[in-house]
Amino acid sequence: MEVRIDHVIISVSSGDITAWKGDLIVNASNSGLYGGGGVDGALHRAGGPQIAAECAAIRQKQGGVMPGEAALTSAGRLPNLGIIHTVGPIWKGGGAGETATLARCYISSLDLACARGARSIAFPNISTGIYNFPRQLACETALSAVVNYVRGAEPDKLPLNNITFICFEQENARLYGETLKTYI
Ligand code: ADP
């Protein structure tokens, strides 16, 4: 399933993000950038200890990463250009600005990717695992943040031409496919 906006293709697929071969993979990390469970653990395992070492350097330099923000490391032994570590909000019922923070994760990651001159980027379904964000709301928030970002950018200043959402769970793949269709 994909949608084209100017020169950018936004697509949805299912699978394991560690096997994706484009430029930048986004990781759903934690404020301390400590490799944890879920997609974070999978990326640290696949990329090897170099990633944790770079995360430690970021921690030392700036004390970690706030929810909604993002930081870039190499991809270790993975073939990608790098990994963007963003920190999703922990769902606390919706009254703590969780939706705005989740949208900022996508925007901060896209800003970093553009600054790096990346052509392609893959997102996991940030905050919908251990952080317990409701799937449907997370999906709508993610897609509207990304679509609005692309629509708002000047086409010749946007190096990205491929933005993909990689859904690990069947239910998310279905939701993303259905919701992306509404942007056709
Ligand atoms: P969070 O703490 O932000 O909720 P999780 O890693 O627990 O982070 O979950 C975020 C999403 O990543 C969930 O939808 C989960 O199913 C998914 N996920 C877990 N492992 C992988 C993987 N290897 N590739 C892609 N997505 C994954």
Side-chain angles (χ1 to χ4, degrees):
M1 176 62 211
E2 60 182 52
V3 161
R4 191 185 190 102
I5 299 172
D6 298 322
H7 66 290
V8 184
I9 293 173
I10 300 175
S11 62
V12 173
S13 61
S14 35
D16 179 349
I17 206 166
T18 65
W20 183 75
K21 297 290 188 277
D23 284 351
L24 295 177
I25 298 179
V26 178
N27 179 22
S29 191
N30 51 73
S31 290
L33 300 189
Y34 295 102
V39 68
D40 191 20
L43 280 166
H44 276 269
R45 277 192 301 278
Q50 172 70 23
I51 297 174
E54 290 179 44
C55 286
I58 293 169
R59 203 158 52 234
Q60 215 155 31
K61 189 174 157 214
Q62 62 186 59
V65 174
M66 295 289 286
E69 293 179 357
L72 180 66
T73 66
S74 79
R77 61 183 175 230
L78 284 170
N80 316 82
L81 269 186
I83 295 180
I84 293 176
H85 304 265
T86 190
V87 181
I90 298 170
W91 181 256
K92 291 179 179 152
E98 295 95 323
T99 303
T101 305
L102 184 62
R104 280 201 290 114
C105 289
Y106 288 91
I107 294 163
S108 307
S109 299
L110 291 168
D111 280 344
L112 261 185
C114 289
R116 180 71 180 75
R119 298 299 179 99
S120 57
I121 184 170
F123 285 101
N125 307 134
I126 300 163
S127 280
T128 65
I130 297 153
Y131 284 3
N132 217 21
F133 205 105
R135 287 193 184 93
Q136 168 102 40
L137 182 58
C139 168
E140 287 164 6
T141 304
L143 283 175
S144 85
V146 168
V147 167
N148 288 335
Y149 190 95
V150 173
R151 283 185 180 151
E154 286 179 51
D156 55 335
K157 293 205 175 115
L158 193 65
L160 288 164
N161 51 34
N162 210 302
I163 302 173
T164 189
F165 294 91
I166 302 197
C167 304
F168 197 61
E169 296 162 44
Q170 202 96 50
E171 172 65 4
N172 273 329
R174 187 191 65 74
L175 271 174
Y176 271 75
E178 291 297 308
T179 309
L180 191 58
K181 270 188 208 155
T182 67
Y183 288 98
I184 292 175

